Amino acid sequence: MGNPKGFLEYARKDNEERNPKKRINDWNEYTERHDEKELKQQGARCMDCGTPFCHTGMEWGRSSIGCPINNLIPEWNELVHQGKWKQALDRLELTNNFPEFTGRVCPAPCEGSCVLGINDDPVTIKSIENEIIERGFENGWILPEPPSSRTGKRVAIVGSGPAGLTAADELNKAGHLVTIFEREDRPGGLLMYGIPNMKLEKKTIERRIELLEKEGIEFKVNTEIGVDVSREELQNEYDAVVICTGAQQPRDIPIEERNSEGIHFAMEYLTESTKSLNSKNEPSISAEGKDVIVIGGGDTGADCVATALRQKCKSVVQFGKHPELPKERTGDNPWPHTPMTFSLEYAYEEAYKQFKKDPREYEILTQSFKGGADGKVSSLRTMQVKKENKNGELVTVEIPGTEKDWNAQLVLIAIGFTGPEKEILEHFNLKVTERGLVWTEKATYKTNVEGVFAAGDARRGQSLVVWAIREGREAAKEVHDYLMSSKLSAISV
Ligand SMILES: Cc1cc2nc3c(=O)[nH]c(=O)nc-3n(C[C@H](O)[C@H](O)[C@H](O)COP(=O)(O)OP(=O)(O)OC[C@H]3O[C@@H](n4cnc5c(N)ncnc54)[C@H](O)[C@@H]3O)c2cc1C
Ligand code: SF4
């Protein structure tokens, strides 16, 4: 530990963010990078605790503790403090296949479990992680490393999101020949079409895909398994198949006039927006000049708010059914759990600066849509709700007399996902859980079909990029064992 008093001498400093009023005029990432001196000081804040919690990676009830991929955080914090960037990169790459993704978009459960966070601000782990990998690319330390020999085994990965990419990377490194099938025109899953550019510029994904290709992974895009290629064809040509198709079946609101024009699922909107930026064409769904209402108070909804602002909407409001989060942790959300506290995330700060108002409306339920004679949505009606304890159970009840009409020419439904799409599961005859997720044998990622494995959101439900990476790593280890029928220490999870 280079500076045992670092946490006393330096305050936490988050990455600077670009001016919200200006950045909504472009689609570039909204954060800026720290300089070397600042990073060394931020690294020095790490206390190198006897029992660090930041890297535990445990699920605990409905929450999780620490980094799900067990990143060796105190070790690389110290190396960054000493300016040993290459060694920090070597440590980081031991546990994380794609730090450039998590360093940008991870909500950093590690920071919520940082011991310093008990009575001070936690260490800025995420931005240090991002800086280590970016310096790795800038210094030319990250080069294609194809395996020195091949096993002759062939693996098909269905879906190119973070789970599929990770499984492919691990299996390729272990010497297997890997092909990724992706129905979209570009690989990346929700990293490409879902998470918008201002959080993750697409050139970052393309840089990694290029590297994976040079290492020997084959990408077959515009290829939907179950439509363009059948299960039988895959099973004839490959020794194992890994289903990493995500959980993108959207939850709907089956209420009056839902079919009016101008009401879309958030994912249709976000995908269309990114595709239009990639192709430099006008998006077919645009918020320009419109009153936009986003239904759903989560992160997907926030990404819709930020996208609508960049498309020059007239106004934007986001509805959530829960109350505003508290400023501080409450008794039932203690450290080291991920803090459930109020924050002014990037999209809300932008909306606040643009319209002088936080776009979030809390404890509100949409009751009906109203369309005009032209079939286009023109407004919607809401009602305030509250939680009430009924016979020991918390239930949502409507508050009479709180009905309100809102103008809207574009409505985006972002109330979550019900699970993986059924078609691919039926095509493979896969057993599903009560929640409609792909069933796998506990801890082995094996489905009920011989030689077919599953990982990522398809198996665990909508989650986080970092959990998809963990699942990809663990599933790869199981696939490798299945193919070789012996453990290989080269794959470490
Ligand atoms: C709008 C949005 C924003 C998010 N923001 C964040 C964030 O900031 N931070 C974070 O950590 N997490 C975020 N998440 C969650 C995160 O993106 C997911 O948990 C993660 O991408 C899941 O990875 P995956 O590989 O399991 O599946 P996905 O990323 O969903 O990828 C699945 C892929 O499979 C393909 N596919 C499906 N069926 C077939 C088929 N039959 N044949 C071929 N290909 C097929 C799909 O086209 C897709 O590309 C966000 C999610 C959404 C929706
Ligand atoms: S991957 Fe996420 S949880 Fe893990 S160290 Fe990075 S920011 Fe923290």
Side-chain angles (χ1 to χ4, degrees), residues 66-69 71 73 76 96 102-103 106 108-111 125-126 129 466:
C67 174
I69 45 179
N71 274 343
I73 298 162
W76 37 260
N96 193 349
T102 50
C106 189
C110 53
E111 295 184 13
I125 300 168
K126 173 177 161 176
E129 177 177 40
V466 66

Side-chain angles (χ1 to χ4, degrees), residues 105-107 158-164 181-184 188-191 194-196 199 223-226 244-248 267 270 299-300 303 417 421 424 455-458 462-466 468:
V105 304
C106 189
V158 188
S160 67
F181 294 88
E182 170 56 56
R183 69 178 172 196
E184 285 290 357
L190 288 172
L191 299 167
I195 301 175
K199 271 162 67 180
T223 311
E224 182 163 2
I225 301 303
C244 299
T245 49
Q248 296 192 26
M267 277 303 297
L270 293 172
D299 292 344
T300 302
D303 289 337
F417 300 84
E421 292 158 41
I424 182 86
D457 282 2
Q462 267 292 337
S463 183
L464 295 174
V465 170
V466 66

Side-chain angles (χ1 to χ4, degrees), residues 23 79 92 128 133 143 145 155 283 370 394 409 416 418 456 461:
R23 70 185 189 226
L79 290 165
L92 179 55
I128 291 176
I133 186 75
L143 296 167
E145 287 178 34
V155 183
K370 193 158 186 280
L394 269 187
Q409 299 87 49
T418 56

Side-chain angles (χ1 to χ4, degrees), residues 16 87 180 229 258 260 284 471 492:
E16 295 292 330
Q87 280 164 270
I180 301 189
V229 175
R258 161 67 181 87
S260 306
S284 63
E471 296 238 330
S492 57

Side-chain angles (χ1 to χ4, degrees), residues 9 33 47 51 55 79 104 171 264 364 376 381:
E9 289 172 10
R33 289 168 60 182
M47 303 189 293
T51 310
H55 64 193
L79 290 165
R104 286 172 166 83
L171 288 162
H264 301 274
I364 190 164
K376 292 181 182 169
R381 174 161 289 199

Side-chain angles (χ1 to χ4, degrees), residues 180-323:
I180 301 189
F181 294 88
E182 170 56 56
R183 69 178 172 196
E184 285 290 357
D185 58 347
R186 290 170 193 237
L190 288 172
L191 299 167
M192 174 59 71
Y193 295 128
I195 301 175
N197 289 39
M198 44 284 186
K199 271 162 67 180
L200 176 61
E201 285 179 23
K202 303 311 163 200
K203 63 184 180 198
T204 304
I205 305 165
E206 281 155 4
R207 178 178 65 183
R208 180 57 72 169
I209 301 292
E210 207 175 297
L211 201 66
L212 294 175
E213 278 179 324
K214 286 186 179 153
E215 289 176 335
I217 296 174
E218 188 185 5
F219 286 86
K220 290 196 174 174
V221 293
N222 293 315
T223 311
E224 182 163 2
I225 301 303
V227 176
D228 304 305
V229 175
S230 71
R231 163 198 166 167
E232 291 75 21
E233 285 171 277
L234 281 192
Q235 286 177 316
N236 285 340
E237 279 186 42
Y238 296 89
D239 301 292
V241 178
V242 192
I243 305 287
C244 299
T245 49
Q248 296 192 26
Q249 189 67 50
R251 182 168 283 123
D252 204 353
I253 312 180
I255 54 174
E256 216 176 300
E257 303 205 34
R258 161 67 181 87
N259 292 329
S260 306
E261 209 181 300
I263 304 175
H264 301 274
F265 287 118
M267 277 303 297
E268 289 169 9
Y269 175 65
L270 293 172
T271 303
E272 183 49 33
S273 166
T274 303
K275 284 192 171 171
S276 75
L277 292 168
N278 287 344
S279 66
K280 299 189 172 53
N281 291 324
E282 287 300 309
S284 63
I285 310 168
S286 172
E288 190 175 355
K290 293 179 184 160
D291 297 301
V292 179
I293 298 220
V294 181
I295 303 176
D299 292 344
T300 302
D303 289 337
C304 290
V305 169
T307 302
L309 286 166
R310 280 161 181 76
Q311 291 181 345
K312 310 273 177 270
C313 60
K314 189 169 148 203
S315 69
V316 60
V317 180
Q318 184 184 5
F319 294 163
K321 69 174 181 187
H322 298 295

Side-chain angles (χ1 to χ4, degrees), residues 1-2 36 40 77-85 87:
M1 190 182 183
E36 172 107 15
K40 284 184 174 172
N77 277 337
E78 171 59 14
L79 290 165
V80 165
H81 167 57
Q82 294 178 20
K84 293 180 179 166
W85 292 96
Q87 280 164 270

